[in-house]
């Protein structure tokens, strides 16, 4: 027997959902749609809401802006170096942390510490370490007979400093995810392969890595998205986009359009944000497609 | 291959899993390592495979001392309780894996893997992943993977415990068939006495890390070394009645039992009079132990009577297939076979 719902019963579930829905609508959905529309508004004035035209003008300007082009190149360079290196490093470290080693708990804590410390404090610590004259890194380089490197103030080296810092800050979260993935692998597979005479290296590549693949893909997707949005890392180390503005990244470019310019170019910022969205979207789709193909071939 | 186990002991931090285990296993036999859970049988198996190193004692494969040999150098095939098939590899790749490690050329390893797949009857599902197989099929693949490298010894850890009842009977006969076709010395761990009784050439029965008895299954049943062995084997479980010798006469549940010569039995000790359900004959009003019928059950073709005698309950097979009324007084007579007397405290057998 079907009972006809009255108005109150129909509405009550939405009432319970309302706090969450309102939050999502106001703080996520509305800004997204607004940015999308804003990206087509030419000479948009944020306070008055006035704009001179509606079209692709912002996009053509942004795409032909040499700063934006450099930002795109920098961002891609950053993603393509930081993601593979940090993922490989995290796999190795997670595997080691998953062994029965001494001081396991201590080491695990040490690796996860960056996640709970303030970005600014950590950034400052790195700034000291990267210091040309008295930094720890140059100290060790000198110790082993290498020349000091001007990490932060040289346009040739500061990208490397950014990459090192980026890799380091991605590691803890990546290691946590991979470690939980590793702990979900039944140790029996390891034992079985060992009885068959497989070497640890072979077990790692033939058994562990394939079984860890879903976690690796997850890590790749999450980290790629966050690496494309590289921005925060610029402040503690360089107070901005580096010497001679050579470290412009896409998100920094977006920020610059309405923070660093007078009058602010809201339209350009929105267009750049949309371009970044499309890039990240394509990359994520590509990764999902690769993952599907990989798991089908197995 | 012949196996000799000498004084094998495994001590863990706070308990002894296996203590002074001695056994010799003939080549080509199918051996059941039987015992209740926690009796050390899996520890035994892991020491044979090399996963665990014994605290004391030695293991010989033929004349070679393998006590401290690494697992991969022992030439053992191991089938895990939950099979441990590599989930990301096809059935064929799973079976090929041990050969791949031995660097067997691809054509040959495929040929040998297919040969093994045929032996265990999984040749039609070579391309499937383990998740696409039933429990029994996974078991077959696991056996093929263990056998493909031509091991000297095949070890199976609780091979049937993850299967449902019908499949269990089918698979245990398959294990028997495969073992007889390959003639590889095989040891399987089980806690199921019926499983051990039905397919093995010999049973090693363990309790608390100590070997209780090693013999052919029927011998274990007919001639148990102690009360535990008698109790562990057989379904229904063996009947146990309280007994005592007084003035040269055996009293069972307070009733004299003159048929049994009590001269060799210790006086003034608590004894257990044990008898198999098939060793009891129910009689109407004759000489013998008096008991009261509680109930009769029909299980398939068999009829079993539950009886009250003194403070104990026992079960007996009935000759007739006629149900008898509850409360009926009967007397019990015993056959010569399947009657034992044990010490209650130590389990030592006197008769």
């Amino acid at each position: 027997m079907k009972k006809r719902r009255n108005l109150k019963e129909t509405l009550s579930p939405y009432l319970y959902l309302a706090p969450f829905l309102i939050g999502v609508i106001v703080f996520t959905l509305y800004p997204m749609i607004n940015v999308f529309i804003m990206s087509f508004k030419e000479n948009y004035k944020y306070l008055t809401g006035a704009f001179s035209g509606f079209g692709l003008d912002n996009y053509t300007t942004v795409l032909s802006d040499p700063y934006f082009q450099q930002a795109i190149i920098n961002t891609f360079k950053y993603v393509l170096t930081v993601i593979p290196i940090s993922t490989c490093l995290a796999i190795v470290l997670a595997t080691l942390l998953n062994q029965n080693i001494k001081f396991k708990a201590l080491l695990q804590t040490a690796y996860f510490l960056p996640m709970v410390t303030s970005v600014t404090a950590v950034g400052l610590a790195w700034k000291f370490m990267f210091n040309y004259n008295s930094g720890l890194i140059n100290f060790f380089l000198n110790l082993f007979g290498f020349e000091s490197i001007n990490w932060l103030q040289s346009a040739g080296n500061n990208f490397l400093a950014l990459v090192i810092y980026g890799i380091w800050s991605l590691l803890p979260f990546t290691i946590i995810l991979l470690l939980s993935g590793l702990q979900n692998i039944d140790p029996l597979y390891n034992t079985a392969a060992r009885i068959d005479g497989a070497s640890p290296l072979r077990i790692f590549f033939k058994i562990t890595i394939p079984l860890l693949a879903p976690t690796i893909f997850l890590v790749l997707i999450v980290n790629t998205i966050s690496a494309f949005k590289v921005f925060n890392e610029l402040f503690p180390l360089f107070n901005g986009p580096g010497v001679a503005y050579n470290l412009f990244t896409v998100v920094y470019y977006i920020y610059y359009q309405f923070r660093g310019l007078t009058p602010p170019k809201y339209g350009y910022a929105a267009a750049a944000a949309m371009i970044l969205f499309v890039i990240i979207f394509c990359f994520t789709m590509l990764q999902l497609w690769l993952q599907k193909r990989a798991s089908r071939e197995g | 291959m012949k196996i000799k186990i000498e004084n094998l002991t495994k001590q863990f931090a706070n308990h002894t899993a296996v203590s002074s285990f001695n056994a010799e296993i003939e080549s080509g036999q199918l051996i059941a390592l039987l015992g209740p859970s926690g009796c050390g049988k899996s520890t035994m198996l892991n020491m044979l495979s090399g996963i665990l190193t014994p605290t004391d004692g030695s293991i010989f494969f033929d004349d070679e001392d393998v006590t401290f040999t690494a697992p991969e150098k022992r030439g053992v095939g191991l089938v895990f309780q939950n099979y441990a098939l590599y989930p990301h590899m096809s059935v064929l790749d799973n079976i090929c894996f041990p050969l791949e490690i031995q660097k067997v050329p691809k054509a040959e390893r495929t040929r040998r893997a297919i040969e093994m797949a045929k032996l265990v009857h999984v040749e039609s599902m070579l391309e499937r992943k383990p998740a696409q197989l039933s429990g029994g099929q996974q078991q077959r693949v696991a056996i093929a993977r263990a056998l493909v490298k031509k091991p000297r010894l095949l070890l199976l850890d609780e091979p049937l415990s993850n299967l449902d009842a019908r499949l269990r009977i089918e698979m245990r006969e398959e294990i028997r068939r495969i073992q007889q076709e390959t003639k590889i010395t095989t040891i399987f761990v089980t806690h199921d006495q019926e499983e051990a009784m039905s397919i093995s050439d010999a049973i090693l029965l363990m309790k608390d890390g100590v070997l209780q008895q090693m013999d052919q299954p029927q011998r274990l049943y007919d001639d148990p070394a102690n009360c535990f062995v008698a109790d562990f084997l057989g379904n229904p479980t063996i009947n146990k009645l309280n007994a005592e010798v007084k003035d040269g006469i055996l009293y069972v549940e307070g009733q004299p039992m003159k048929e049994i010569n009590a001269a060799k039995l210790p006086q003034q000790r608590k004894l257990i009079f044990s008898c198999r359900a098939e060793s009891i004959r129910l009689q109407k009003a004759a000489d013998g132990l008096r008991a009261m019928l509680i109930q009769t059950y029909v299980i398939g073709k068999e009829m079993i009577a539950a009886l009250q005698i003194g403070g104990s309950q026992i079960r007996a097979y009935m000759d007739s297939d006629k149900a008898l009324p509850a409360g009926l007084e009967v007397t019990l007579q015993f056959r010569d076979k399947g009657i034992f007397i044990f010490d209650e405290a130590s389990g030592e057998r006197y008769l």
Side-chain angles (χ1 to χ4, degrees):
Chain A
M1 208 174 77
K2 223 174 185 176
K3 194 183 145 213
R4 187 165 291 205
R5 283 197 205 149
N6 58 31
L7 190 69
K8 200 177 140 198
E9 277 174 59
T10 317
L11 285 180
S12 59
Y14 294 99
L15 195 67
Y16 292 119
L17 285 170
F20 173 73
L21 282 179
I22 289 170
V24 168
I25 289 167
V26 171
F27 295 110
T28 309
L29 217 55
Y30 169 74
M32 271 168 61
I33 293 165
N34 204 18
V35 165
F36 179 68
I37 295 168
M38 207 197 288
S39 71
F40 297 105
K41 290 177 178 170
E42 289 154 18
N43 292 318
Y44 180 63
K45 302 276 183 298
Y46 194 77
L47 288 176
T48 57
F51 55 98
S52 62
F54 199 84
L56 291 172
D57 218 36
N58 291 332
Y59 286 91
T60 49
T61 314
V62 164
L63 285 171
S64 58
D65 182 350
Y67 273 124
F68 184 74
Q69 290 165 0
Q70 203 205 345
I72 290 275
I73 291 169
N74 280 341
T75 306
F76 267 88
K77 260 166 70 185
Y78 180 81
V79 170
L80 294 178
T81 45
V82 166
I83 295 303
I85 296 174
S86 68
T87 309
C88 291
L89 213 56
I91 291 173
V92 172
L93 289 171
T95 310
L96 292 177
L97 284 176
N98 199 34
Q99 310 292 315
N100 274 324
I101 47 171
K102 274 184 184 173
F103 311 117
K104 186 175 173 173
L106 185 78
L107 284 172
Q108 286 185 352
T109 315
Y111 277 100
F112 302 152
L113 217 52
M115 264 189 91
V116 292
T117 35
S118 132
V119 181
T120 320
V122 164
L124 282 174
W126 275 92
K127 199 168 180 170
F128 290 135
M129 291 205 292
F130 277 131
N131 189 288
Y132 181 66
N133 291 317
S134 52
L136 199 65
I137 296 174
N138 278 346
F139 170 77
F140 278 110
L141 284 179
N142 293 337
L143 204 66
F144 292 104
F146 293 100
E147 296 267 310
S148 284
I149 292 174
N150 190 350
W151 293 101
L152 301 177
Q153 270 84 41
S154 142
N157 296 331
N158 58 5
F159 181 72
L160 189 59
L162 178 67
V163 164
I164 291 173
Y165 179 71
I167 291 169
W168 178 84
S169 53
L170 270 184
L171 278 182
F173 178 62
T174 314
I175 290 175
I176 290 180
L177 283 180
L178 289 172
L179 203 53
S180 79
L182 281 171
Q183 275 159 1
N184 274 329
I185 298 175
D186 194 332
L188 226 50
Y189 298 128
N190 193 347
T191 314
R194 212 157 47 94
I195 288 194
D196 288 338
S199 64
L201 212 60
R202 188 161 201 138
I203 295 173
F204 181 72
F205 284 112
K206 292 289 276 189
I207 311 285
T208 312
I209 291 290
L211 292 178
L212 194 59
T215 317
I216 294 174
F217 268 106
L218 173 76
V219 158
L220 280 177
I221 286 176
V222 172
N223 283 353
T224 305
I225 291 173
S226 90
F228 265 118
K229 296 192 290 188
V230 54
F231 170 70
N232 278 336
E233 290 81 350
L234 291 169
F235 286 91
L237 289 182
F238 312 105
N239 282 328
V243 276
Y245 284 47
N246 73 319
L247 288 184
F248 253 103
T249 66
V250 176
V251 175
Y252 194 88
Y253 182 87
I254 295 166
Y255 172 79
Y256 179 74
Q257 290 308 315
F258 63 92
R259 246 21 224 125
L261 295 177
T262 30
K265 303 286 189 194
Y266 296 113
Y268 294 170
M274 289 313 297
I275 293 168
L276 181 62
F277 165 74
V278 170
I279 291 172
I280 294 177
F281 185 78
C282 291
F283 248 75
T284 310
M285 284 299 126
L286 179 74
Q287 282 176 326
L288 284 175
W289 178 75
L290 280 174
Q291 178 181 18
K292 237 185 206 159
R293 223 184 56 163
S295 70
R296 219 183 305 125
E297 284 174 5
Chain B
M1 185 192 63
K2 213 170 68 189
I3 298 161
K4 201 160 98 187
I5 301 163
E6 275 182 4
N7 265 327
L8 205 65
T9 301
K10 180 69 191 178
Q11 186 98 37
F12 288 114
N14 45 17
H15 80 289
T16 309
V18 173
S19 89
S20 300
F21 196 105
N22 285 289
E24 274 191 54
I25 291 161
E26 294 296 316
S27 181
Q29 286 207 308
L30 178 59
I31 304 293
L33 200 53
L34 177 68
S37 38
C39 73
K41 54 195 191 299
S42 288
T43 309
M44 227 9 253
L45 196 79
N46 287 339
M47 285 194 284
L48 286 168
S49 69
I51 296 174
L52 286 177
T53 327
T55 318
D56 199 13
S58 333
I59 303 168
F60 294 91
F61 286 0
D62 283 331
D63 292 324
E64 181 192 344
D65 184 347
V66 295
T67 316
F68 298 105
T69 309
E72 65 270 18
K73 300 214 171 81
R74 292 193 184 195
V76 295
L78 182 56
V79 176
F80 293 87
Q81 185 171 358
N82 61 3
Y83 322 130
L85 296 175
Y86 308 124
H88 58 290
M89 295 184 195
S90 68
V91 166
L92 184 65
D93 289 341
N94 259 289
I95 304 176
C96 281
F97 188 73
L99 298 179
E100 201 183 317
I101 287 159
Q102 291 179 358
K103 301 196 172 67
V104 175
K106 185 152 195 208
E108 196 200 329
R109 69 178 184 238
T110 310
R111 184 186 61 72
R112 274 169 67 181
I114 290 172
E115 189 183 303
M116 273 306 135
K118 278 185 182 148
L119 174 75
V120 301
H121 299 165
V122 292
E123 69 272 27
S124 62
M125 40 198 88
L126 291 174
E127 294 311 316
R128 289 200 209 164
K129 292 275 173 64
Q132 296 165 304
L133 303 178
S134 70
Q137 289 162 345
Q138 290 186 33
Q139 170 75 276
R140 289 166 188 269
V141 176
I143 293 173
R145 187 179 65 180
L147 287 175
V148 75
K149 55 181 179 178
K150 300 201 168 85
R152 300 191 283 174
L153 170 66
L154 178 65
L155 301 169
L156 303 115
D157 190 2
E158 299 267 4
L160 305 169
S161 61
N162 286 0
L163 304 176
D164 61 60
R166 186 181 287 265
L167 206 52
R168 203 173 292 175
I169 293 172
E170 183 192 317
M171 270 320 289
R172 76 183 188 207
E173 275 151 21
E174 279 294 283
I175 290 173
R176 184 71 180 143
R177 174 186 67 81
I178 292 163
Q179 194 269 335
Q180 279 177 341
E181 279 180 36
T182 56
K183 295 191 178 60
I184 290 178
T185 312
T186 303
I187 299 177
F188 72 101
V189 161
T190 179
H191 60 261
D192 182 344
Q193 50 101 8
E194 199 189 320
E195 219 169 277
M197 295 276 283
S198 55
I199 59 169
S200 58
D201 295 315
I203 295 177
L204 290 153
L205 182 55
M206 288 180 76
K207 182 200 173 194
D208 299 334
V210 178
L211 177 63
Q212 303 291 312
Q213 192 172 1
M214 177 183 176
D215 218 327
Q216 293 161 16
Q218 199 55 44
R219 290 286 304 265
L220 245 66
Y221 186 81
D222 291 337
D223 194 10
N226 57 38
C227 189
F228 173 78
V229 178
D231 199 26
F232 199 81
L233 297 174
N235 186 21
T237 43
I238 197 161
N239 296 306
K240 290 194 277 190
L241 294 166
N242 297 314
E244 206 174 4
V245 176
K246 259 189 267 171
D247 307 325
I249 295 168
L250 178 72
Y251 288 87
V252 175
E253 296 290 342
Q255 302 181 43
M257 229 348 243
K258 289 178 189 134
E259 298 95 313
I260 287 171
N261 180 5
K264 285 184 204 156
L265 299 174
Q267 303 267 334
Q268 306 292 335
R269 263 191 87 83
K270 285 198 167 169
L271 303 175
I272 292 174
F273 176 83
S274 277
C275 53
R276 299 269 179 216
E278 67 271 21
S279 303
I280 302 171
R281 244 183 247 143
L282 303 188
Q283 304 275 318
K284 268 187 213 161
D287 273 352
L289 294 182
R290 286 185 312 280
M292 192 182 74
L293 195 69
I294 303 170
Q295 210 182 343
T296 51
Y297 309 90
V298 186
I299 301 166
K301 61 182 182 3
E302 290 152 345
M303 181 161 247
I304 293 177
L307 301 146
Q308 184 78 37
I309 171 163
S312 310
Q313 269 198 26
I314 59 169
R315 284 157 183 269
Y317 281 113
M318 291 169 64
D319 292 334
S320 76
D321 51 4
K322 214 164 50 203
L324 295 172
L328 188 73
E329 284 269 342
V330 292
T331 52
L332 309 180
Q333 287 195 327
F334 300 93
R335 296 169 208 260
D336 293 339
K337 225 174 112 176
I339 306 288
F340 316 104
I341 293 170
F342 302 106
D343 191 276
E344 192 191 80
S346 68
E348 187 189 341
R349 183 170 153 198
Y350 297 120
L351 182 93

